[in-house]
Amino acid sequence: MGRSRRTIPEELLLLALDPTTGTTAQPQSLDLGLAGAQLVELALAGRIAPDGDRIAVVMARPTGDPTLDSALELLRRRGSPVRAVHWIGGPRLGLRQTYLTHLERCGMVHAVAGQMCGVLPTTRYQATETAISREIRARLDNAIRTGVPPDPRTAALAALAHAVGLGKHLYPGNEGRSSRSRLRDLIRHDPMGGLVAHAVMDVQNGVAAQPRRPQTAAAGAAGAVRQPAARATADPAGAPVQSRHAHGRMARVGAR
C-alpha cells in the first residue's frame, strides 16, 4: 500500500480533531471507529473481506503500513473469521494516540504540551496541513450536497463519522440537521463501511453479544438510518490528550 494515500483511520481522526481546542470529539466512540476504520482500509487493500457479519482474511501479505499490518496479523492468527463486533469491541490500548503520533510525524498535526489542573502533563494537537482537512471535509460536503453516490472511501468515511457521533461536530445546530440526516444515509453506499459502522454502533449500544440476523432489503434500509448511541460521558481522553509518556506506546490491537 503506498503512503501517498491517507488511510481512512487517519482521515477519521482529522475529521474528529477540534481546531479550536486541539482535542478529539467523541473520544470514546472514536476509539471504536478507528478500529473499524482499520478493517475498512484492509478491505479496500484486498486483505480482508466480509463473511456475513464476520471478517475473513483473504490475503495475508503485509500492506506496508505497520499499524494496519499489526491488525492484519492478529486477524490472521485467529484462524477463522471473527465477528466484526467482537473485533471492534476488543481492547484498543493507545490506538488513537498511535495515529496522532503518526500524523505529527507526517507533519499534519502539531503537538502542544500543557498541563491539566496545573499538574497532569497533557498534549493538544493542532492541524498544520489545514488544506488536507478541508479536502476531507469537502468530500463529505459534496456527497451530502449533490446526493451522488460517493466513492467507496468517502462512503466508508461518512458511515464511520456517523457511527461514532461526529455528525453534530461536523454539522452543528438546527441548521445542520438535514446535513446530519444525509450523512447518516450515506452509510448504505459501501457494504464494508456499512457492516463496520453498524458494528461500531452495536458495541456502543451493548448488543454485540447477539449475531446480526440476515437483513431483507426493507430491513437493510431501516438499519441504515439507525442512530448511534448517545454521547458517552467524557473521560480524560476527551479533554487534552495526555502526554506521550503516559499514552505514547504503540497500539496493541486485539480482539475478543
Side-chain angles (χ1 to χ4, degrees):
M1 176 184 295
R3 294 302 297 141
S4 60
R5 185 194 295 267
R6 294 180 303 275
T7 65
I8 293 176
E10 293 164 5
E11 293 193 331
L12 183 65
L13 187 51
L14 286 171
L15 277 178
L17 191 63
D18 190 306
T20 303
T21 65
T23 61
T24 52
Q26 301 286 18
Q28 293 176 332
S29 56
L30 180 61
D31 290 343
L32 302 176
L34 290 173
Q38 287 187 313
L39 294 180
V40 176
E41 191 66 49
L42 286 170
L44 289 171
R47 298 325 194 257
I48 64 174
D51 181 5
D53 66 346
R54 296 174 181 267
I55 303 298
V57 175
V58 295
M59 182 190 299
R61 179 166 57 85
T63 66
D65 181 304
T67 309
L68 290 175
D69 288 340
S70 176
L72 178 62
E73 176 61 15
L74 287 172
L75 285 166
R76 186 192 67 80
R77 289 178 186 174
R78 292 295 295 264
S80 60
V82 57
R83 287 187 63 207
V85 288
H86 287 168
W87 175 263
I88 290 169
R92 294 290 177 268
L93 181 63
L95 186 58
R96 180 165 23 116
Q97 184 60 46
T98 294
Y99 276 109
L100 283 168
T101 301
H102 169 72
L103 291 175
E104 181 188 12
R105 189 166 56 246
C106 293
M108 284 189 276
V109 300
H110 172 64
V112 180
Q115 288 185 330
M116 181 187 297
C117 302
V119 178
L120 297 175
T122 63
T123 305
R124 297 176 183 270
Y125 290 88
Q126 301 290 340
T128 53
E129 295 288 343
T130 54
I132 293 176
S133 297
R134 288 197 299 269
E135 183 271 330
I136 297 169
R137 176 66 180 270
R139 281 165 39 212
L140 288 187
D141 291 346
N142 185 64
I144 287 173
R145 182 178 63 254
T146 64
V148 176
D151 63 273
R153 300 184 70 84
T154 301
L157 181 62
L160 287 162
H162 167 69
V164 303
L166 290 183
K168 289 186 178 180
H169 168 70
L170 298 171
Y171 306 104
N174 288 333
E175 64 275 15
R177 184 176 299 172
S178 61
S179 293
R180 293 195 298 270
S181 177
R182 288 192 288 270
L183 177 71
R184 175 194 64 201
D185 291 342
L186 290 176
I187 199 171
R188 69 187 67 195
H189 289 295
D190 179 62
M192 185 66 180
L195 168 66
V196 169
H198 281 305
V200 168
M201 290 185 282
D202 281 347
V203 173
Q204 293 180 80
N205 290 322
V207 296
Q210 297 299 321
R212 183 178 294 279
R213 290 175 295 182
Q215 292 181 327
T216 63
V225 299
R226 182 160 38 134
Q227 294 288 344
R231 178 176 298 182
T233 302
D235 62 2
V241 179
Q242 291 192 4
S243 70
R244 279 164 287 181
H245 178 72
H247 293 292
R249 297 181 297 275
M250 289 299 291
R252 178 168 58 83
V253 184
R256 289 181 188 171

